[in-house]
Amino acid sequence: IRSHYGAQVKQQLSDWAKAIAEGDNAASGQAERALGVLRQSVSVAGLGFNVMSALMQPLGLTQSVVRVGPGWVAKGVAKFIASPRGTARQVNEMSAFMANRTRTRFRELNELRNAVRDQSAAKEWLGRHAYWLMLRVQQSVDVPTWWGAYEKAVSEGHGDERAIALADQAVIDSQGGGELKDQAAIERGGPAAKLFTVFYSFMNTALNLGVVQGATASTPAKRAKLAADMLLLYTVPALLGSLLKDALTPGDGGDDALEKLLRKLGAEQLSYILGLFVVVREFSDAAKIVTGAEGARDYQGPAGVRVVGDALKALKQVEQGEFDDSLRKALVNLIGDLAGLPAAQANRTITGAQALNEGKTQNPAALVFGFQEAK
């Protein structure tokens, strides 16, 4: 390994094996325990029962296409469409990794399902169901990816056991994983480091895929393929995701809707690129400032400490003495951060219900996707 890949890769593999043997990095003192408390409910508050986030999951197929190949992924998609439940059941029977996928999809979910102490019945129910929809939609990506990679491995002459292992790895490489063995070194850090890597697993996977593809582009033909891969990894999901959100959210873009859309797409593209890198991703709102898009906010710290920013925002709104939408959103976000409740979806539903009640829209989808008002 050292002679072929170099000392750095050898050291990474040694550290990886050591980390798996030692287990998760536990908090070593009161300060680190406090940091862990700040982070523990953020994921549920942001992603719990979040329908919009769930519907974004199929965009991850672009990464599967890069990792496995378009033809093989197409075969997996065709088999899944023909029999979704049957294919998922068959894959789960063949692979223990895939059978456990709904419990280990990303780091925070894996941690949540492993937290067995001091769990009330309500908390346990929430932990089991908060990500249900998102994971079911993600299954429409994971299963075709796995099956396509499995058929590819079999076609290359690998035995069944090795083909299953290669298919498992293809899912991890393209979609990420929450088990310790599947996390990047930067995600396996202590409580302080984890504050900066909340919601980062998928973006880290995209970054790694790009680096691997770039390292193997040694011929003109491979460099041409690399250009297509870069578009699939870093442009298509960013732009399609923004367009899909706009299409699903009821509301009026206003007279200058096209100009706003173009600015938003530019901001989304730049923000996506910044989001690939830890710490650099903290500057992602700069994309809106540079492109002139709406929605730029003051920096509130990494996602892992959003409870601090939400608490200060709520106090500021309370001080104004008026119960308006801003105060309601701030209070809901704060309660979600503290109690591990699905704040993002709750705010979206309340906003949509208000728009329906006030006659701003007749679209019942507002109850699920919220409402965007022209500014």
Side-chain angles (χ1 to χ4, degrees):
I1 294 171
R2 180 186 292 273
S3 61
H4 185 76
Y5 292 106
Q8 187 176 20
V9 171
K10 165 64 169 59
Q11 187 60 49
Q12 282 289 328
L13 292 174
S14 297
D15 292 343
W16 189 16
K18 182 180 179 183
I20 294 171
E22 291 178 346
D24 199 13
N25 286 319
S28 59
Q30 293 300 325
E32 289 196 341
R33 290 191 184 94
L35 293 178
V37 170
L38 287 177
R39 183 179 62 87
Q40 66 182 6
S41 298
V42 166
S43 180
V44 176
L47 299 178
F49 300 102
N50 194 320
V51 180
M52 185 70 81
S53 291
L55 295 181
M56 295 293 114
Q57 301 308 302
L59 296 176
L61 270 174
T62 59
Q63 297 189 179
S64 297
V65 168
V66 172
R67 173 61 175 78
V68 181
W72 297 109
V73 171
K75 287 187 176 183
V77 170
K79 182 174 176 62
F80 184 77
I81 291 176
S83 178
R85 289 188 178 181
T87 303
R89 188 181 306 112
Q90 181 181 0
V91 168
N92 288 343
E93 289 173 354
M94 295 171 69
S95 166
F97 164 77
M98 291 295 288
N100 288 321
R101 184 72 169 159
T102 57
R103 294 182 288 274
T104 61
R105 170 65 182 81
F106 51 93
R107 185 183 66 192
E108 284 72 27
L109 174 62
N110 191 48
E111 291 175 346
L112 183 66
R113 298 305 293 262
N114 287 331
V116 296
R117 293 184 303 169
D118 302 322
Q119 288 270 37
S120 65
K123 193 78 171 180
E124 193 272 337
W125 182 91
L126 186 66
R128 192 184 324 126
H129 295 92
Y131 304 104
W132 183 88
L133 179 61
M134 185 176 72
L135 294 171
R136 285 296 171 268
V137 178
Q138 178 64 34
Q139 190 176 58
S140 68
V141 177
D142 290 346
V143 171
T145 300
W146 192 94
W147 189 263
Y150 173 77
E151 286 205 358
K152 180 181 180 180
V154 171
S155 73
E156 293 172 347
H158 298 287
D160 194 61
E161 184 177 352
R162 182 167 175 79
I164 289 171
L166 289 171
D168 289 348
Q169 192 60 49
V171 173
I172 296 168
D173 290 346
S174 61
Q175 304 301 317
E179 292 184 85
L180 190 62
K181 69 179 181 61
D182 302 328
Q183 295 173 24
I186 200 166
E187 294 182 278
R188 299 196 302 266
K194 287 180 179 178
L195 292 178
F196 286 86
T197 54
V198 173
F199 308 132
Y200 179 63
S201 177
F202 184 77
M203 298 304 290
N204 181 68
T205 303
L207 174 62
N208 286 340
L209 278 173
V211 171
V212 171
Q213 296 306 111
T216 57
S218 56
T219 66
K222 288 183 178 179
R223 284 192 285 272
K225 180 180 180 299
L226 175 63
D229 288 343
M230 294 300 104
L231 287 174
L232 284 172
L233 288 174
Y234 306 133
T235 296
V236 172
L239 301 188
L240 279 185
S242 180
L243 291 171
L244 184 58
K245 287 178 183 177
D246 265 4
L248 290 174
T249 307
D252 182 11
D255 296 333
D256 55 347
L258 179 58
E259 181 183 351
K260 287 181 179 178
L261 177 61
L262 293 176
R263 290 180 181 274
K264 181 184 290 187
L265 291 177
E268 288 290 342
Q269 177 64 92
L270 181 55
S271 178
Y272 200 89
I273 299 300
L274 295 175
L276 296 170
F277 307 95
V278 175
V279 179
V280 176
R281 68 200 288 250
E282 306 303 317
F283 295 88
S284 59
D285 256 22
K288 295 177 181 177
I289 298 172
V290 171
T291 59
E294 297 175 350
R297 299 171 296 178
D298 294 334
Y299 181 62
Q300 298 181 3
V305 296
R306 64 189 295 174
V307 63
V308 178
D310 286 342
L312 294 175
K313 189 182 294 184
L315 286 172
K316 183 178 179 180
Q317 292 297 325
V318 168
E319 187 181 16
Q320 293 178 359
E322 181 182 356
F323 192 86
D324 55 9
D325 278 351
S326 296
L327 176 56
R328 180 261 300 172
K329 290 178 181 177
L331 289 176
V332 170
N333 284 334
L334 180 58
I335 292 170
D337 295 340
L338 294 173
L341 299 175
Q345 183 59 52
N347 268 327
R348 193 172 287 138
T349 297
I350 294 170
T351 297
Q354 287 179 340
L356 285 168
N357 185 55
E358 295 169 5
K360 295 179 180 178
T361 181
Q362 301 300 318
N363 190 343
L367 292 173
V368 177
F369 302 114
F371 179 78
Q372 53 184 344
E373 200 161 357
K375 296 181 180 178

